[in-house]
Every structure is written in C-alpha cells, then in structure tokens.
Amino acid sequence: MAAISPSNTSISTTPPSSSTITPPSFLPRFSLPITSTSHKRHRLHISNVLSDSKPTTITTTHSPQHFISRFAPDQPRKGADVLVEALEREGVTDVFAYPGGASMEIHQALTRSTTIRNVLPRHEQGGVFAAEGYARASGVPGVCIATSGPGATNLVSGLADALLDSVPMVAITGQVPRRMIGTDAFQETPIVEVTRSITKHNYLVLDVDDIPRIVREAFYLASSGRPGPVLIDIPKDIQQQLVVPKWDEPMRLPGYLSRLPKSSNDGHLEQIVRLISESKRPVLYVGGGCLNSGDELRRFVELTGIPVASTLMGLGVYPASSDLSLQMLGMHGTVYANYAVDKSDLLLAFGVRFDDRVTGKLEAFASRAKIVHIDIDSAEIGKNKQPHVSVCGDIKTALQGLNKILEGKSKVTNLDFANWRNELDEQKVKFPLSFKTFGEAIPPQYAIQVLDELTGGNAIISTGVGQHQMWAAQFYKYNKPRQWLTSGGLGAMGFGLPAAIGAAVARPDAVVVDIDGDGSFLMNVQELATIRVENLPVKILLLNNQHLGMVVQWEDRFYKANRAHTYLGNPSKENEIFPNMLKFAEACDIPAARVTRKADLRAAIQTMLDTPGPYLLDVIVPHQEHVLPMIPAGGGFMDVITEGDGRTKY
C-alpha cells in the first residue's frame, strides 16, 4: 500500500519498491503530492504516509472486545461485507445511508448485518447532517453513506460543517469501478479532490485488502486530536471483490502521531496559575473544545471563582444557571459577557479559536488583558490573536493539571474576585437579555423561554441558522454539554431537522426539540418522512416569520430596510401564511398545530411535548423583531447595539 497524500488524502495501492511514488495510469485526475508554497499555518492535517514506513500499532478503545464474525475466519467475502464488519468492529450501531448505483453493494451488505441499523434519510444532505447530530449529541463518530457523483457531492456542506465545528464523523461514498475513474463515467465525481480541503483526511481505496486498516484509521483520525470528518471513497469493483480480510493489520499513521500534542508542560501550567493569582479581573472564554471537559472546567471555576463566558459552540459546557455564568459572548452575546472581556486583565481562552463572530475588531478585543490560550490544535494558537502564554494540548488534561496545582497551593485557593463579580452582577442587572411584547403577537424569545421552563432546561436543542438560532442560544439555559446542536462555523441553513434526527437516534431517552425558522426548515423539510417512518419523537418548534429573518435584520440596520428577496411568503397573498407548514406535516402523517396568540402559546407547547412521537408546532412571530444585543461585524464592544427593531428607521 502507498498513500498518495496531497495535504490530507490517502489513496491505497500496491506497495511501492521505494519512496518514489508512481501514479496509477488510470488516475489522470487525481493529482500527486504537491509541496505548498504557502506559509499560512493550517490545522493539523496528515502528511504523506508510505507503506514502507515503520508500522505503528495503535489499539482503539471503542472497538468491541471478542468480536464474533458471521463469517468463518478463512471464508472469502465481498469487500462490502468487509466494510460493514469493519464498522461493526468499531462499535457502529447506526448509520445514515442513502443508496445508489455505486453503493448498492454496501447496502446489500448492511441488510446482512444484525448489528447496524440504517436510518434512511430522504436526501444525502439530510444524512450527513443527521450523522453530525448523532456525533454532537453522543460524542462518538457519526457515520453516513452515499453513492458516487451527486450523492457524494450532496455531502459537501455537512463535511465542511463538521470540519469547522470539529465534529467526529466518517463519511463513506461509493465510486465508479477503478477502470472507469477519470473517464467521465456516469455519476463520477472525484470526491477525494472535491473534499480535500473540507475533511481532516480522506481515502480512495484501490486495494480491497486495505479496507480493515483504513476503517480503523478513519475512526481513530475522526475522534483523536482535534476531531473532524474523514471520507472513504470505495470503487464498486472493490466492493464486489472477494477477499479473506486481515483484521490485525496495524494502522500506519507515523506522521500524524508524531504531531499529536504531548502532555501539558507543568511549567506552563504553573505560569498560568501565577497569572491568575496576580489578576484582579479574570474571565474564562470557553469554547467547543471543552465539550468533553465539563467536570474539570466546573472544578476549575469552583477553585478559582472566575466568571465564565461561552462561545456559541461552548454553550452547556458550564451551566448557564450558575451565578458565575456570563452566558454567550460575541456578536449576539450578552452585554455583560462582552463587557467582562473588554474590561478583563486576564483572558483564559480554553478550547476556542478567536472566531470573528466572537472577537469583532481584533485589535479592540480583550485589549487590556493578558491572554492564555489552551487548544489541541497548534494551528489555532496565534492565528488570530497572539497569546502571552499558550499550551498546545488536550484541554481536559490541562485542566486536570491546573486543578491539581490549585488544590495543592493554599495561597492560591484564597483567590478573591468578589469585587469583579459584583461589578459584573451590576452589568447583568443593567443590561439583562430582554424583549418587547406587542399586543397578542408572540415574541420568538418568549416561545423559547416557555420551552425552557416546560422542559426544565433538559432538552437537546437543535437549530437551523438565523435569528431563531441566536434566540435559542440566548434564551434556552443549557446546563450540560451536548444539549446544544447548531451549525456554528459554517452557518448551514437546513441543519436543524436532520440534526435532531441524529440526536434522537443517539439519545432515545432524551427530549429532542428542533427550534427552527421557516427558511431553514424548508431546506430539508423532506426529512419529516424519515422522522415519521422511524417514529422518532422529534418535536419541531417552528418560529415562522415568513422572512429570511437575520438578513431582514441587516437590511433594516444597514440597507434602509430595502427588501432584497428576503420575503419567503407569497407576495400575491401577503395576509396568508405561505407555505402552509401544517400541510407538510399532514403529508407525512405527523401531528401539527399552529399558534398565533401569546395567550395560547404555553398550552400549545405543552401539548407538543405531551404528544407521543413527532410533532410540529407552527408559531407565527413578527418579522420586525431583531436579535439584540448586536455588535456589528468588525466592531468592538463600544459599538454594541441594545435597542430597536424593524419598526424603527435607521
């Protein structure tokens, strides 16, 4: 096997005789390794790995022990059966797979598995977003499968979303037979090339013997280091080829393993503790990198008394109900969270990437503070904001080390930030999250508040992208990690409904609610059929304002309210709700109701929650409502907007 790896792609072939790689003659469109001339730092990708490198054996922890195969050890079976058994050996119990010509063999093999359940999406994008929702809700890699050509390209948005939000996922695609690659065959796309920059790693399998090793590597890569999506592209003739698999082949990832972060340096941790002891106004800035470190973070806050501001991806890592929670910071974060960062003298940035929607104007962000940055990805450290102290490593390990130091030093345990916390409490009183009411109209923020009350803050919430997403981040109080599923970095509309499907499959014991907007909901409305057929108890709280709400808000604020194709209703019948969302639900045999008056809302939401199985509640809300607070793009804390809506001219 040789891995042809331009940046992050492996193509399995037969072993080379030397380190010189000769491209297969039938692969004219798959480029060779190219040395980049760019000096820009990128996140950790995988370098060229040759099969004559010294094999590195790694034992994965999630593989089932004492696996019992349905085949005899020396019994030949199809490559597709090898693939399915490899998935079973990785502990996979659920996949989201849509069949097609180039992936039929895989689906036939899935029917022979007694372990793996296929949740059939109605569109490949629905499948990849469902796999993401599964991974986000459970913490283990989600798996989606699609055919070649358009099936594979329909996965692109989900792969990009998973990479930006660091979600572990394995996507498997069928490909045309090897002899037809590069001939413009029916339903052929070079999906390895298409997805190179939006996957953590990807493979084109050209040797059936490589399937067991590649699947093991894919799951290890997806879940280790900074998690992300891995794609495996398998030609149809490989799926059909008979083989006796070798399950004990070691993984060959020496380049990747050598660049994984090592244990945290105790000297750096001591330095961080010293900075904390010298600080008067420290703030924790916590992101999605801390999702697996909630217990350690809570202990750290307990030991230090430092207030916590969360990114959009970090919601739930630290309980929003705690007095020390400042909730979300950034463009639509609370005034007091952004105030705390602006006035702080020490910013502890844990598992974050200083995203533009958090920082706004970089020069003005935390300009008074010393910055400590801990992240598992070396490419993120110093990329946007230069830290004073940095630790490249697992935040869980780093927090354990910090807590150990804090617990062992009595002089540090007497940290007193009471004056700072009192100052922030005054800001909470002065600038609470609030909204106005207008007669009987339902404020969208109120709908989310009621949902929070009636679910006790314990539901898993998924969203689309737009105003409803920001209101769900602001007004639902997340107290545990993996309660909040949203497309953060990519901002992919249509994410909410299929992500809720994945969450309901991964966490059948949980209440799962998709808080969606009418624009986002329509982008994957076909997944209502999946919800019904699988009888998944997904509740849909649809905040329907007949507009592309967030774009309308920007039109109101920055374009003199000129409407540029943001009305989603029927212009010839503006007094009617269009389309009729209840008809979509009816077509899929899903109970549904519409509510238009604030007085009726609580009972309607309670009915939704009490109804067994899926339910759609169409909540009609005014389109003039704005998401506030708001720091305009490229602005700083001093530019924060706290008043106004679409009823005001700017």
Side-chain angles (χ1 to χ4, degrees):
M1 169 270 178
I4 300 177
S5 179
S7 172
N8 67 331
T9 305
S10 291
I11 302 179
S12 73
T13 63
T14 53
S17 57
S18 71
S19 60
T20 302
I21 301 176
T22 303
S25 59
F26 49 84
L27 287 179
R29 291 192 177 180
F30 290 85
S31 56
L32 298 176
I34 297 170
T35 303
S36 172
T37 57
S38 170
H39 296 289
K40 184 177 179 183
R41 298 172 73 192
H42 294 283
R43 68 165 62 187
L44 185 62
H45 278 313
I46 298 167
S47 61
N48 300 343
V49 182
L50 305 179
S51 64
D52 54 358
S53 302
K54 183 179 178 182
T56 304
T57 304
I58 308 159
T59 303
T60 52
T61 56
H62 58 280
S63 297
Q65 299 299 315
H66 310 298
F67 183 86
I68 300 173
S69 174
R70 59 183 175 277
F71 295 95
D74 58 350
Q75 181 183 353
R77 76 288 310 258
K78 287 185 174 182
D81 286 299
V82 176
L83 172 68
V84 169
E85 183 167 324
L87 294 176
E88 292 172 344
R89 288 171 179 265
E90 291 298 322
V92 174
T93 56
D94 303 281
V95 298
F96 303 88
Y98 197 89
S103 63
M104 285 179 63
E105 290 286 353
I106 298 172
H107 282 264
Q108 290 295 312
L110 283 170
T111 65
R112 296 188 280 272
S113 172
T114 58
T115 304
I116 298 177
R117 163 197 185 188
N118 180 35
V119 178
L120 178 68
R122 267 41 180 189
H123 189 288
E124 290 92 352
Q125 187 182 93
V128 69
F129 282 158
E132 266 202 272
Y134 185 98
R136 290 174 190 251
S138 66
V140 301
V143 179
C144 61
I145 303 173
T147 191
S148 64
T153 55
N154 279 340
L155 301 181
V156 165
S157 292
L159 293 171
D161 190 58
L163 186 72
L164 280 168
D165 288 353
S166 305
V167 177
M169 187 166 66
V170 175
I172 298 166
T173 52
Q175 183 55 277
V176 300
R178 286 173 294 178
R179 68 184 181 279
M180 299 174 71
I181 293 176
T183 68
D184 291 333
F186 176 67
Q187 289 194 334
E188 179 195 359
T189 54
I191 197 64
V192 159
E193 300 294 308
V194 170
T195 63
R196 173 172 292 130
S197 61
I198 56 169
T199 52
K200 185 176 179 182
H201 192 50
N202 58 19
Y203 296 89
L204 173 61
V205 181
L206 295 177
D207 187 337
V208 69
D209 287 325
D210 288 337
I211 291 176
R213 174 184 56 79
I214 284 174
V215 171
R216 286 187 65 212
E217 288 181 5
F219 277 83
Y220 182 78
L221 292 168
S223 54
S224 62
R226 181 176 181 172
V230 178
L231 180 133
I232 306 173
D233 194 31
I234 311 178
K236 188 167 183 177
D237 59 325
I238 293 285
Q239 300 171 34
Q240 294 170 325
Q241 189 174 340
L242 293 176
V243 67
V244 176
K246 298 176 182 176
W247 298 110
D248 56 353
E249 279 289 304
M251 291 193 285
R252 300 171 185 175
L253 301 170
Y256 176 75
L257 291 169
S258 68
R259 287 181 288 152
L260 282 176
K262 306 300 185 288
S263 299
S264 303
N265 183 301
D266 287 345
H268 286 154
L269 299 183
E270 291 274 4
Q271 191 177 357
I272 293 169
V273 171
R274 186 169 69 253
L275 288 173
I276 293 170
S277 66
E278 294 169 356
S279 170
K280 301 296 181 187
R281 304 154 78 88
V283 175
L284 270 159
Y285 158 34
V286 172
C290 296
L291 278 173
N292 295 327
S293 312
D295 292 341
E296 290 79 9
L297 181 71
R298 285 191 291 276
R299 178 59 178 156
F300 179 79
V301 175
E302 184 182 314
L303 290 167
T304 61
I306 298 174
V308 183
S310 295
T311 67
L312 182 71
M313 297 302 302
L315 292 174
V317 170
Y318 187 76
S321 58
S322 168
D323 291 339
L324 286 173
S325 172
L326 301 172
Q327 297 179 255
M328 187 172 71
L329 82 166
M331 177 178 280
H332 292 295
T334 62
V335 170
Y336 39 90
N338 289 320
Y339 174 93
V341 171
D342 187 63
K343 304 298 182 186
S344 67
D345 61 8
L346 178 65
L347 184 69
L348 301 171
F350 291 176
V352 297
R353 59 188 182 91
F354 290 88
D355 175 68
D356 61 287
R357 287 298 170 103
V358 166
T359 64
K361 187 177 180 180
L362 271 169
E363 303 78 36
F365 182 75
S367 58
R368 301 171 175 83
K370 292 179 180 176
I371 295 175
V372 172
H373 192 183
I374 303 179
D375 199 274
I376 202 164
D377 187 353
S378 61
E380 293 298 345
I381 295 174
K383 184 180 79 174
N384 294 331
K385 194 81 175 175
Q386 195 62 44
H388 296 77
V389 179
S390 64
V391 175
C392 181
D394 189 337
I395 186 65
K396 190 181 190 78
T397 306
L399 279 169
Q400 289 170 345
L402 287 169
N403 292 343
K404 187 176 180 181
I405 294 170
L406 289 165
E407 289 165 347
K409 290 193 174 185
S410 56
K411 64 177 182 179
V412 180
T413 54
N414 294 323
L415 297 171
D416 184 6
F417 302 121
N419 291 338
W420 173 228
R421 290 196 298 268
N422 290 338
E423 183 179 338
L424 296 179
D425 286 342
E426 290 174 10
Q427 291 294 312
K428 288 182 179 182
V429 172
K430 191 175 179 181
F431 296 104
L433 285 174
S434 61
F435 54 88
K436 297 175 183 176
T437 57
F438 297 90
E440 282 299 312
I442 300 172
Q445 305 95 321
Y446 175 69
I448 295 166
Q449 270 190 344
V450 172
L451 179 69
D452 180 45
E453 292 172 20
L454 294 179
T455 58
N458 292 318
I460 292 175
I461 303 294
S462 70
T463 74
V465 170
Q467 286 182 314
H468 70 276
Q469 175 192 29
M470 294 297 103
W471 286 319
Q474 291 175 336
F475 287 91
Y476 199 95
K477 304 306 179 216
Y478 304 94
N479 289 315
K480 289 177 282 189
R482 307 199 178 281
Q483 269 189 275
W484 166 245
L485 319 177
T486 198
S487 174
L490 191 66
M493 293 176 66
F495 176 84
L497 188 61
I501 290 174
V505 172
R507 301 271 301 276
D509 56 321
V511 176
V512 179
V513 182
D514 170 30
I515 299 176
D516 227 327
D518 47 315
S520 283
F521 179 70
L522 282 171
M523 287 200 173
N524 273 312
V525 68
Q526 76 284 341
E527 299 308 324
L528 288 174
T530 303
I531 289 171
R532 177 70 282 168
V533 169
E534 299 290 339
N535 197 30
L536 298 172
V538 172
K539 314 298 182 184
I540 302 155
L541 185 71
L542 186 60
L543 302 180
N544 188 347
N545 65 5
Q546 296 284 280
H547 287 74
L548 203 55
M550 187 60 85
V551 186
V552 165
Q553 176 170 332
W554 281 55
E555 287 175 339
D556 288 341
R557 294 280 177 177
F558 310 118
Y559 294 90
K560 298 180 181 179
N562 181 49
R563 294 289 174 259
H565 320 117
T566 48
Y567 176 59
L568 300 179
N570 184 348
S572 65
K573 297 180 179 179
E574 287 194 15
N575 293 328
E576 296 182 10
I577 301 299
F578 177 87
N580 187 342
M581 302 297 183
L582 305 184
K583 295 292 186 181
F584 287 124
E586 182 185 351
C588 293
D589 195 25
I590 290 176
R594 176 178 292 157
V595 59
T596 59
R597 298 171 64 251
K598 184 181 177 185
D600 301 328
L601 179 67
R602 183 176 291 270
I605 293 178
Q606 189 65 64
T607 299
M608 174 185 78
L609 295 171
D610 290 344
T611 302
Y615 193 97
L616 186 150
L617 181 62
D618 191 19
V619 183
I620 308 303
V621 299
H623 73 273
Q624 297 94 339
E625 203 64 35
H626 284 185
V627 179
L628 297 174
M630 178 183 182
I631 298 176
F637 173 66
M638 301 307 294
D639 304 309
V640 65
I641 299 167
T642 58
E643 293 291 334
D645 55 33
R647 302 166 183 87
T648 309
K649 293 199 181 298
Y650 300 95

